[in-house]
PDB file of all heavy atoms in Angstrom:
ATOM      1  N   PRO A   4     -36.833  -9.409 -39.338  1.00 77.00           N
ATOM      2  CA  PRO A   4     -35.503  -9.799 -38.958  1.00 77.00           C
ATOM      3  C   PRO A   4     -35.432 -10.979 -38.014  1.00 77.00           C
ATOM      4  O   PRO A   4     -34.298 -11.291 -37.892  1.00 77.00           O
ATOM      5  CB  PRO A   4     -35.096  -8.348 -38.031  1.00 77.00           C
ATOM      6  CG  PRO A   4     -36.634  -7.919 -37.688  1.00 77.00           C
ATOM      7  CD  PRO A   4     -37.437  -8.279 -38.818  1.00 77.00           C
ATOM      8  N   GLN A   5     -36.469 -11.587 -37.652  1.00 73.00           N
ATOM      9  CA  GLN A   5     -36.534 -12.844 -36.941  1.00 73.00           C
ATOM     10  C   GLN A   5     -36.535 -13.978 -37.989  1.00 73.00           C
ATOM     11  O   GLN A   5     -35.795 -14.975 -37.820  1.00 73.00           O
ATOM     12  CB  GLN A   5     -37.609 -13.001 -35.956  1.00 73.00           C
ATOM     13  CG  GLN A   5     -37.701 -11.804 -35.025  1.00 73.00           C
ATOM     14  CD  GLN A   5     -36.555 -11.841 -34.021  1.00 73.00           C
ATOM     15  OE1 GLN A   5     -36.003 -12.845 -33.728  1.00 73.00           O
ATOM     16  NE2 GLN A   5     -35.936 -10.603 -33.682  1.00 73.00           N
ATOM     17  N   CYS A   6     -37.466 -13.880 -38.903  1.00 74.00           N
ATOM     18  CA  CYS A   6     -37.711 -14.994 -39.895  1.00 74.00           C
ATOM     19  C   CYS A   6     -36.773 -14.918 -41.050  1.00 74.00           C
ATOM     20  O   CYS A   6     -36.207 -15.976 -41.516  1.00 74.00           O
ATOM     21  CB  CYS A   6     -39.068 -15.073 -40.383  1.00 74.00           C
ATOM     22  SG  CYS A   6     -40.432 -15.132 -39.155  1.00 74.00           S
ATOM     23  N   HIS A   7     -36.395 -13.750 -41.560  1.00 74.00           N
ATOM     24  CA  HIS A   7     -35.526 -13.624 -42.584  1.00 74.00           C
ATOM     25  C   HIS A   7     -34.456 -12.428 -42.443  1.00 74.00           C
ATOM     26  O   HIS A   7     -34.522 -11.430 -42.974  1.00 74.00           O
ATOM     27  CB  HIS A   7     -36.343 -13.381 -43.932  1.00 74.00           C
ATOM     28  CG  HIS A   7     -37.350 -14.179 -44.227  1.00 74.00           C
ATOM     29  ND1 HIS A   7     -37.099 -15.585 -44.521  1.00 74.00           N
ATOM     30  CD2 HIS A   7     -38.723 -14.083 -44.198  1.00 74.00           C
ATOM     31  CE1 HIS A   7     -38.288 -16.199 -44.703  1.00 74.00           C
ATOM     32  NE2 HIS A   7     -39.264 -15.287 -44.477  1.00 74.00           N
ATOM     33  N   PRO A   8     -33.567 -12.648 -41.496  1.00 73.00           N
ATOM     34  CA  PRO A   8     -32.541 -11.652 -41.114  1.00 73.00           C
ATOM     35  C   PRO A   8     -31.725 -11.290 -42.291  1.00 73.00           C
ATOM     36  O   PRO A   8     -31.324 -11.992 -43.071  1.00 73.00           O
ATOM     37  CB  PRO A   8     -31.685 -12.342 -40.010  1.00 73.00           C
ATOM     38  CG  PRO A   8     -31.897 -13.723 -40.258  1.00 73.00           C
ATOM     39  CD  PRO A   8     -33.243 -14.017 -40.740  1.00 73.00           C
ATOM     40  N   MET A   9     -31.475  -9.958 -42.306  1.00 71.00           N
ATOM     41  CA  MET A   9     -30.537  -9.367 -43.421  1.00 71.00           C
ATOM     42  C   MET A   9     -29.176  -8.945 -42.801  1.00 71.00           C
ATOM     43  O   MET A   9     -29.220  -8.608 -41.672  1.00 71.00           O
ATOM     44  CB  MET A   9     -31.259  -8.139 -44.056  1.00 71.00           C
ATOM     45  CG  MET A   9     -32.563  -8.493 -44.751  1.00 71.00           C
ATOM     46  SD  MET A   9     -33.312  -6.988 -45.486  1.00 71.00           S
ATOM     47  CE  MET A   9     -32.023  -6.494 -46.659  1.00 71.00           C
ATOM     48  N   GLN A  10     -28.319  -8.903 -43.632  1.00 61.00           N
ATOM     49  CA  GLN A  10     -26.937  -8.398 -43.161  1.00 61.00           C
ATOM     50  C   GLN A  10     -26.948  -6.833 -43.188  1.00 61.00           C
ATOM     51  O   GLN A  10     -27.334  -6.214 -44.066  1.00 61.00           O
ATOM     52  CB  GLN A  10     -25.806  -9.030 -44.188  1.00 61.00           C
ATOM     53  CG  GLN A  10     -24.496  -8.497 -43.907  1.00 61.00           C
ATOM     54  CD  GLN A  10     -23.972  -9.032 -42.463  1.00 61.00           C
ATOM     55  OE1 GLN A  10     -24.205 -10.203 -42.213  1.00 61.00           O
ATOM     56  NE2 GLN A  10     -23.286  -8.226 -41.706  1.00 61.00           N
ATOM     57  N   ALA A  11     -26.565  -6.344 -42.097  1.00 59.00           N
ATOM     58  CA  ALA A  11     -26.556  -4.735 -42.088  1.00 59.00           C
ATOM     59  C   ALA A  11     -25.503  -4.313 -42.877  1.00 59.00           C
ATOM     60  O   ALA A  11     -24.478  -4.922 -43.157  1.00 59.00           O
ATOM     61  CB  ALA A  11     -26.108  -4.376 -40.638  1.00 59.00           C
ATOM     62  N   PRO A  12     -25.821  -3.137 -43.489  1.00 61.00           N
ATOM     63  CA  PRO A  12     -24.789  -2.495 -44.461  1.00 61.00           C
ATOM     64  C   PRO A  12     -23.479  -2.095 -43.870  1.00 61.00           C
ATOM     65  O   PRO A  12     -23.466  -1.663 -42.639  1.00 61.00           O
ATOM     66  CB  PRO A  12     -25.489  -1.255 -45.157  1.00 61.00           C
ATOM     67  CG  PRO A  12     -26.482  -0.998 -43.950  1.00 61.00           C
ATOM     68  CD  PRO A  12     -26.921  -2.264 -43.323  1.00 61.00           C
ATOM     69  N   GLN A  13     -22.465  -2.187 -44.512  1.00 49.00           N
ATOM     70  CA  GLN A  13     -21.110  -1.784 -43.963  1.00 49.00           C
ATOM     71  C   GLN A  13     -21.032  -0.389 -44.196  1.00 49.00           C
ATOM     72  O   GLN A  13     -21.215   0.278 -45.242  1.00 49.00           O
ATOM     73  CB  GLN A  13     -19.979  -2.603 -44.699  1.00 49.00           C
ATOM     74  CG  GLN A  13     -20.084  -4.088 -44.500  1.00 49.00           C
ATOM     75  CD  GLN A  13     -18.854  -4.780 -45.271  1.00 49.00           C
ATOM     76  OE1 GLN A  13     -17.980  -4.059 -45.699  1.00 49.00           O
ATOM     77  NE2 GLN A  13     -18.831  -6.038 -45.145  1.00 49.00           N
ATOM     78  N   THR A  14     -20.468   0.269 -43.152  1.00 43.00           N
ATOM     79  CA  THR A  14     -20.264   1.681 -43.178  1.00 43.00           C
ATOM     80  C   THR A  14     -18.831   1.992 -42.636  1.00 43.00           C
ATOM     81  O   THR A  14     -18.522   1.457 -41.442  1.00 43.00           O
ATOM     82  CB  THR A  14     -21.307   2.467 -42.342  1.00 43.00           C
ATOM     83  OG1 THR A  14     -21.248   2.150 -41.141  1.00 43.00           O
ATOM     84  CG2 THR A  14     -22.630   2.386 -43.051  1.00 43.00           C
ATOM     85  N   GLY A  15     -18.026   2.834 -43.233  1.00 39.00           N
ATOM     86  CA  GLY A  15     -16.735   3.151 -42.633  1.00 39.00           C
ATOM     87  C   GLY A  15     -15.778   1.993 -42.693  1.00 39.00           C
ATOM     88  O   GLY A  15     -15.477   1.418 -43.617  1.00 39.00           O
ATOM     89  N   ALA A  16     -15.264   1.698 -41.369  1.00 37.00           N
ATOM     90  CA  ALA A  16     -14.338   0.639 -41.210  1.00 37.00           C
ATOM     91  C   ALA A  16     -15.001  -0.633 -41.570  1.00 37.00           C
ATOM     92  O   ALA A  16     -16.074  -0.891 -41.650  1.00 37.00           O
ATOM     93  CB  ALA A  16     -13.855   0.655 -39.801  1.00 37.00           C
ATOM     94  N   THR A  17     -13.974  -1.677 -41.760  1.00 39.00           N
ATOM     95  CA  THR A  17     -14.521  -2.971 -42.035  1.00 39.00           C
ATOM     96  C   THR A  17     -15.339  -3.609 -41.010  1.00 39.00           C
ATOM     97  O   THR A  17     -15.178  -3.507 -39.847  1.00 39.00           O
ATOM     98  CB  THR A  17     -13.282  -3.959 -42.245  1.00 39.00           C
ATOM     99  OG1 THR A  17     -12.358  -3.349 -43.125  1.00 39.00           O
ATOM    100  CG2 THR A  17     -13.720  -5.347 -42.537  1.00 39.00           C
ATOM    101  N   ALA A  18     -16.648  -4.101 -41.490  1.00 39.00           N
ATOM    102  CA  ALA A  18     -17.562  -4.549 -40.556  1.00 39.00           C
ATOM    103  C   ALA A  18     -17.310  -5.845 -40.156  1.00 39.00           C
ATOM    104  O   ALA A  18     -16.591  -6.702 -40.825  1.00 39.00           O
ATOM    105  CB  ALA A  18     -18.988  -4.507 -41.221  1.00 39.00           C
ATOM    106  N   HIS A  19     -17.644  -6.261 -38.801  1.00 44.00           N
ATOM    107  CA  HIS A  19     -17.298  -7.539 -38.407  1.00 44.00           C
ATOM    108  C   HIS A  19     -18.331  -7.895 -37.310  1.00 44.00           C
ATOM    109  O   HIS A  19     -19.130  -6.909 -36.808  1.00 44.00           O
ATOM    110  CB  HIS A  19     -15.936  -7.676 -37.744  1.00 44.00           C
ATOM    111  CG  HIS A  19     -15.849  -6.640 -36.636  1.00 44.00           C
ATOM    112  ND1 HIS A  19     -15.191  -5.327 -36.946  1.00 44.00           N
ATOM    113  CD2 HIS A  19     -15.912  -6.560 -35.363  1.00 44.00           C
ATOM    114  CE1 HIS A  19     -15.146  -4.633 -35.698  1.00 44.00           C
ATOM    115  NE2 HIS A  19     -15.630  -5.460 -34.704  1.00 44.00           N
ATOM    116  N   SER A  20     -18.574  -9.152 -37.039  1.00 43.00           N
ATOM    117  CA  SER A  20     -19.593  -9.624 -36.164  1.00 43.00           C
ATOM    118  C   SER A  20     -18.976 -10.286 -34.984  1.00 43.00           C
ATOM    119  O   SER A  20     -17.916 -11.013 -35.083  1.00 43.00           O
ATOM    120  CB  SER A  20     -20.592 -10.446 -36.828  1.00 43.00           C
ATOM    121  OG  SER A  20     -21.471 -11.071 -36.026  1.00 43.00           O
ATOM    122  N   ALA A  21     -19.686 -10.205 -33.836  1.00 45.00           N
ATOM    123  CA  ALA A  21     -19.189 -10.906 -32.596  1.00 45.00           C
ATOM    124  C   ALA A  21     -19.635 -12.392 -32.653  1.00 45.00           C
ATOM    125  O   ALA A  21     -18.911 -13.217 -31.843  1.00 45.00           O
ATOM    126  CB  ALA A  21     -19.707 -10.209 -31.260  1.00 45.00           C
ATOM    127  N   ASP A  22     -20.423 -12.817 -33.533  1.00 43.00           N
ATOM    128  CA  ASP A  22     -20.846 -14.180 -33.454  1.00 43.00           C
ATOM    129  C   ASP A  22     -20.236 -15.018 -34.459  1.00 43.00           C
ATOM    130  O   ASP A  22     -20.778 -15.869 -35.145  1.00 43.00           O
ATOM    131  CB  ASP A  22     -22.352 -14.304 -33.518  1.00 43.00           C
ATOM    132  CG  ASP A  22     -22.901 -13.637 -34.808  1.00 43.00           C
ATOM    133  OD1 ASP A  22     -22.145 -13.032 -35.598  1.00 43.00           O
ATOM    134  OD2 ASP A  22     -24.106 -13.665 -34.982  1.00 43.00           O
ATOM    135  N   ASN A  23     -18.906 -14.680 -34.895  1.00 42.00           N
ATOM    136  CA  ASN A  23     -18.361 -15.485 -35.984  1.00 42.00           C
ATOM    137  C   ASN A  23     -17.528 -16.634 -35.357  1.00 42.00           C
ATOM    138  O   ASN A  23     -16.596 -17.147 -36.137  1.00 42.00           O
ATOM    139  CB  ASN A  23     -17.273 -14.483 -36.773  1.00 42.00           C
ATOM    140  CG  ASN A  23     -16.339 -13.835 -35.814  1.00 42.00           C
ATOM    141  OD1 ASN A  23     -16.269 -14.120 -34.538  1.00 42.00           O
ATOM    142  ND2 ASN A  23     -15.519 -12.815 -36.456  1.00 42.00           N
ATOM    143  N   GLY A  24     -17.777 -17.022 -34.228  1.00 43.00           N
ATOM    144  CA  GLY A  24     -17.155 -18.160 -33.596  1.00 43.00           C
ATOM    145  C   GLY A  24     -15.840 -17.754 -32.953  1.00 43.00           C
ATOM    146  O   GLY A  24     -15.203 -18.614 -32.383  1.00 43.00           O
ATOM    147  N   GLU A  25     -15.366 -16.502 -32.990  1.00 62.00           N
ATOM    148  CA  GLU A  25     -14.111 -16.142 -32.408  1.00 62.00           C
ATOM    149  C   GLU A  25     -14.433 -14.938 -31.468  1.00 62.00           C
ATOM    150  O   GLU A  25     -15.080 -13.883 -31.846  1.00 62.00           O
ATOM    151  CB  GLU A  25     -13.178 -15.554 -33.541  1.00 62.00           C
ATOM    152  CG  GLU A  25     -12.860 -16.568 -34.533  1.00 62.00           C
ATOM    153  CD  GLU A  25     -11.898 -15.967 -35.601  1.00 62.00           C
ATOM    154  OE1 GLU A  25     -12.413 -15.178 -36.520  1.00 62.00           O
ATOM    155  OE2 GLU A  25     -10.690 -16.110 -35.489  1.00 62.00           O
ATOM    156  N   TRP A  26     -14.059 -15.074 -30.185  1.00 71.00           N
ATOM    157  CA  TRP A  26     -14.339 -14.019 -29.247  1.00 71.00           C
ATOM    158  C   TRP A  26     -13.256 -14.090 -28.060  1.00 71.00           C
ATOM    159  O   TRP A  26     -12.921 -15.110 -27.630  1.00 71.00           O
ATOM    160  CB  TRP A  26     -15.687 -14.246 -28.613  1.00 71.00           C
ATOM    161  CG  TRP A  26     -16.070 -13.012 -27.592  1.00 71.00           C
ATOM    162  CD1 TRP A  26     -15.889 -13.040 -26.348  1.00 71.00           C
ATOM    163  CD2 TRP A  26     -16.253 -11.710 -28.065  1.00 71.00           C
ATOM    164  NE1 TRP A  26     -16.172 -11.758 -25.857  1.00 71.00           N
ATOM    165  CE2 TRP A  26     -16.593 -11.028 -26.793  1.00 71.00           C
ATOM    166  CE3 TRP A  26     -16.537 -11.106 -29.181  1.00 71.00           C
ATOM    167  CZ2 TRP A  26     -16.863  -9.701 -26.834  1.00 71.00           C
ATOM    168  CZ3 TRP A  26     -16.861  -9.684 -29.144  1.00 71.00           C
ATOM    169  CH2 TRP A  26     -17.138  -9.026 -28.018  1.00 71.00           C
ATOM    170  N   CYS A  27     -12.657 -12.937 -27.962  1.00 72.00           N
ATOM    171  CA  CYS A  27     -11.485 -12.831 -26.983  1.00 72.00           C
ATOM    172  C   CYS A  27     -12.173 -12.250 -25.589  1.00 72.00           C
ATOM    173  O   CYS A  27     -12.491 -11.069 -25.541  1.00 72.00           O
ATOM    174  CB  CYS A  27     -10.359 -11.894 -27.375  1.00 72.00           C
ATOM    175  SG  CYS A  27      -9.089 -11.691 -26.009  1.00 72.00           S
ATOM    176  N   ALA A  28     -12.610 -13.109 -24.739  1.00 62.00           N
ATOM    177  CA  ALA A  28     -13.269 -12.751 -23.521  1.00 62.00           C
ATOM    178  C   ALA A  28     -12.342 -11.781 -22.663  1.00 62.00           C
ATOM    179  O   ALA A  28     -12.841 -10.941 -21.893  1.00 62.00           O
ATOM    180  CB  ALA A  28     -13.778 -13.899 -22.787  1.00 62.00           C
ATOM    181  N   GLY A  29     -11.018 -12.074 -22.756  1.00 58.00           N
ATOM    182  CA  GLY A  29     -10.142 -11.211 -21.960  1.00 58.00           C
ATOM    183  C   GLY A  29     -10.144  -9.723 -22.352  1.00 58.00           C
ATOM    184  O   GLY A  29      -9.856  -9.027 -21.435  1.00 58.00           O
ATOM    185  N   HIS A  30     -10.295  -9.493 -23.499  1.00 69.00           N
ATOM    186  CA  HIS A  30     -10.207  -8.114 -23.981  1.00 69.00           C
ATOM    187  C   HIS A  30     -11.521  -7.444 -24.581  1.00 69.00           C
ATOM    188  O   HIS A  30     -11.604  -6.353 -25.045  1.00 69.00           O
ATOM    189  CB  HIS A  30      -9.074  -7.932 -25.079  1.00 69.00           C
ATOM    190  CG  HIS A  30      -7.724  -8.269 -24.471  1.00 69.00           C
ATOM    191  ND1 HIS A  30      -7.082  -9.421 -24.676  1.00 69.00           N
ATOM    192  CD2 HIS A  30      -6.985  -7.574 -23.562  1.00 69.00           C
ATOM    193  CE1 HIS A  30      -5.947  -9.363 -24.036  1.00 69.00           C
ATOM    194  NE2 HIS A  30      -5.863  -8.396 -23.464  1.00 69.00           N
ATOM    195  N   GLY A  31     -12.511  -8.400 -24.756  1.00 71.00           N
ATOM    196  CA  GLY A  31     -13.896  -7.929 -25.293  1.00 71.00           C
ATOM    197  C   GLY A  31     -13.992  -7.483 -26.708  1.00 71.00           C
ATOM    198  O   GLY A  31     -14.649  -6.481 -27.039  1.00 71.00           O
ATOM    199  N   LEU A  32     -13.409  -8.327 -27.699  1.00 77.00           N
ATOM    200  CA  LEU A  32     -13.623  -8.055 -29.001  1.00 77.00           C
ATOM    201  C   LEU A  32     -13.360  -9.376 -29.713  1.00 77.00           C
ATOM    202  O   LEU A  32     -12.849 -10.402 -29.213  1.00 77.00           O
ATOM    203  CB  LEU A  32     -12.565  -6.993 -29.539  1.00 77.00           C
ATOM    204  CG  LEU A  32     -11.106  -7.314 -29.676  1.00 77.00           C
ATOM    205  CD1 LEU A  32     -10.444  -6.258 -30.469  1.00 77.00           C
ATOM    206  CD2 LEU A  32     -10.444  -7.430 -28.330  1.00 77.00           C
ATOM    207  N   PRO A  33     -13.649  -9.493 -31.052  1.00 81.00           N
ATOM    208  CA  PRO A  33     -13.438 -10.740 -31.794  1.00 81.00           C
ATOM    209  C   PRO A  33     -11.829 -11.101 -31.832  1.00 81.00           C
ATOM    210  O   PRO A  33     -10.984 -10.171 -31.839  1.00 81.00           O
ATOM    211  CB  PRO A  33     -13.790 -10.468 -33.248  1.00 81.00           C
ATOM    212  CG  PRO A  33     -14.857  -9.342 -33.069  1.00 81.00           C
ATOM    213  CD  PRO A  33     -14.315  -8.517 -31.867  1.00 81.00           C
ATOM    214  N   GLU A  34     -11.622 -12.357 -31.546  1.00 76.00           N
ATOM    215  CA  GLU A  34     -10.264 -12.890 -31.488  1.00 76.00           C
ATOM    216  C   GLU A  34      -9.366 -12.443 -32.650  1.00 76.00           C
ATOM    217  O   GLU A  34      -8.304 -12.098 -32.544  1.00 76.00           O
ATOM    218  CB  GLU A  34     -10.240 -14.375 -31.435  1.00 76.00           C
ATOM    219  CG  GLU A  34      -8.929 -14.913 -31.234  1.00 76.00           C
ATOM    220  CD  GLU A  34      -8.398 -14.748 -29.759  1.00 76.00           C
ATOM    221  OE1 GLU A  34      -9.242 -14.555 -28.829  1.00 76.00           O
ATOM    222  OE2 GLU A  34      -7.162 -14.752 -29.424  1.00 76.00           O
ATOM    223  N   SER A  35     -10.044 -12.422 -33.918  1.00 80.00           N
ATOM    224  CA  SER A  35      -9.328 -12.098 -35.070  1.00 80.00           C
ATOM    225  C   SER A  35      -8.955 -10.597 -35.241  1.00 80.00           C
ATOM    226  O   SER A  35      -8.191 -10.131 -36.145  1.00 80.00           O
ATOM    227  CB  SER A  35     -10.204 -12.490 -36.353  1.00 80.00           C
ATOM    228  OG  SER A  35     -11.453 -11.711 -36.282  1.00 80.00           O
ATOM    229  N   HIS A  36      -9.457  -9.828 -34.307  1.00 82.00           N
ATOM    230  CA  HIS A  36      -9.084  -8.367 -34.143  1.00 82.00           C
ATOM    231  C   HIS A  36      -8.303  -7.937 -32.935  1.00 82.00           C
ATOM    232  O   HIS A  36      -8.027  -6.797 -32.793  1.00 82.00           O
ATOM    233  CB  HIS A  36     -10.419  -7.562 -34.279  1.00 82.00           C
ATOM    234  CG  HIS A  36     -10.961  -7.473 -35.651  1.00 82.00           C
ATOM    235  ND1 HIS A  36     -11.463  -8.544 -36.296  1.00 82.00           N
ATOM    236  CD2 HIS A  36     -11.238  -6.430 -36.441  1.00 82.00           C
ATOM    237  CE1 HIS A  36     -11.954  -8.323 -37.491  1.00 82.00           C
ATOM    238  NE2 HIS A  36     -11.890  -6.901 -37.588  1.00 82.00           N
ATOM    239  N   CYS A  37      -8.043  -8.974 -32.098  1.00 81.00           N
ATOM    240  CA  CYS A  37      -7.335  -8.667 -30.842  1.00 81.00           C
ATOM    241  C   CYS A  37      -5.875  -8.548 -31.129  1.00 81.00           C
ATOM    242  O   CYS A  37      -5.070  -9.554 -31.179  1.00 81.00           O
ATOM    243  CB  CYS A  37      -7.683  -9.780 -29.817  1.00 81.00           C
ATOM    244  SG  CYS A  37      -6.907  -9.545 -28.119  1.00 81.00           S
ATOM    245  N   THR A  38      -5.430  -7.275 -30.993  1.00 83.00           N
ATOM    246  CA  THR A  38      -3.999  -7.090 -31.295  1.00 83.00           C
ATOM    247  C   THR A  38      -3.173  -7.149 -29.959  1.00 83.00           C
ATOM    248  O   THR A  38      -1.889  -7.102 -29.999  1.00 83.00           O
ATOM    249  CB  THR A  38      -3.799  -5.685 -31.850  1.00 83.00           C
ATOM    250  OG1 THR A  38      -4.577  -4.730 -31.134  1.00 83.00           O
ATOM    251  CG2 THR A  38      -4.267  -5.650 -33.357  1.00 83.00           C
ATOM    252  N   LYS A  39      -3.894  -7.514 -28.760  1.00 79.00           N
ATOM    253  CA  LYS A  39      -3.160  -7.721 -27.597  1.00 79.00           C
ATOM    254  C   LYS A  39      -2.673  -9.098 -27.588  1.00 79.00           C
ATOM    255  O   LYS A  39      -1.467  -9.444 -27.127  1.00 79.00           O
ATOM    256  CB  LYS A  39      -4.116  -7.302 -26.388  1.00 79.00           C
ATOM    257  CG  LYS A  39      -4.631  -6.047 -26.302  1.00 79.00           C
ATOM    258  CD  LYS A  39      -3.449  -4.935 -26.069  1.00 79.00           C
ATOM    259  CE  LYS A  39      -3.964  -3.562 -25.896  1.00 79.00           C
ATOM    260  NZ  LYS A  39      -2.783  -2.536 -25.787  1.00 79.00           N
ATOM    261  N   CYS A  40      -3.570 -10.071 -28.061  1.00 76.00           N
ATOM    262  CA  CYS A  40      -3.231 -11.406 -28.011  1.00 76.00           C
ATOM    263  C   CYS A  40      -2.422 -11.852 -29.274  1.00 76.00           C
ATOM    264  O   CYS A  40      -1.712 -12.762 -29.295  1.00 76.00           O
ATOM    265  CB  CYS A  40      -4.451 -12.226 -27.872  1.00 76.00           C
ATOM    266  SG  CYS A  40      -5.382 -12.142 -26.436  1.00 76.00           S
ATOM    267  N   HIS A  41      -2.678 -10.953 -30.374  1.00 81.00           N
ATOM    268  CA  HIS A  41      -1.881 -11.339 -31.590  1.00 81.00           C
ATOM    269  C   HIS A  41      -1.249  -9.961 -32.159  1.00 81.00           C
ATOM    270  O   HIS A  41      -1.790  -9.332 -33.095  1.00 81.00           O
ATOM    271  CB  HIS A  41      -2.909 -11.732 -32.697  1.00 81.00           C
ATOM    272  CG  HIS A  41      -3.742 -12.951 -32.216  1.00 81.00           C
ATOM    273  ND1 HIS A  41      -3.210 -14.261 -32.021  1.00 81.00           N
ATOM    274  CD2 HIS A  41      -5.057 -13.013 -31.739  1.00 81.00           C
ATOM    275  CE1 HIS A  41      -4.141 -15.062 -31.584  1.00 81.00           C
ATOM    276  NE2 HIS A  41      -5.354 -14.344 -31.305  1.00 81.00           N
ATOM    277  N   PRO A  42      -0.222  -9.526 -31.561  1.00 83.00           N
ATOM    278  CA  PRO A  42       0.432  -8.348 -31.899  1.00 83.00           C
ATOM    279  C   PRO A  42       0.933  -8.328 -33.369  1.00 83.00           C
ATOM    280  O   PRO A  42       1.128  -7.148 -33.918  1.00 83.00           O
ATOM    281  CB  PRO A  42       1.657  -8.185 -30.980  1.00 83.00           C
ATOM    282  CG  PRO A  42       1.756  -9.639 -30.309  1.00 83.00           C
ATOM    283  CD  PRO A  42       0.537 -10.248 -30.414  1.00 83.00           C
ATOM    284  N   GLU A  43       1.062  -9.429 -33.931  1.00 83.00           N
ATOM    285  CA  GLU A  43       1.482  -9.607 -35.366  1.00 83.00           C
ATOM    286  C   GLU A  43       0.507  -8.906 -36.277  1.00 83.00           C
ATOM    287  O   GLU A  43       0.766  -8.614 -37.413  1.00 83.00           O
ATOM    288  CB  GLU A  43       1.828 -10.982 -35.784  1.00 83.00           C
ATOM    289  CG  GLU A  43       0.621 -11.904 -35.749  1.00 83.00           C
ATOM    290  CD  GLU A  43       0.285 -12.597 -34.453  1.00 83.00           C
ATOM    291  OE1 GLU A  43       0.905 -12.120 -33.445  1.00 83.00           O
ATOM    292  OE2 GLU A  43      -0.529 -13.526 -34.536  1.00 83.00           O
TER     293      GLU A  43
END
């Protein structure tokens, strides 16, 4: 997992990662999933 990391399998709801360059520090989730900042 250090030299050749693998993508974890998706289970249930759509999988997402915190290190995708988007992070809403005010609400503690990825910016692309923050419905408080982006109610649309």
Side-chain angles (χ1 to χ4, degrees):
Q5 303 294 326
C6 304
H7 307 291
M9 297 180 65
Q10 179 65 42
Q13 296 186 6
T14 57
T17 304
H19 56 271
S20 172
D22 59 355
N23 57 5
E25 302 177 281
W26 184 257
C27 177
H30 298 107
L32 75 166
E34 187 72 25
S35 59
H36 287 63
C37 184
T38 49
K39 300 294 184 183
C40 299
H41 307 287
E43 67 273 11

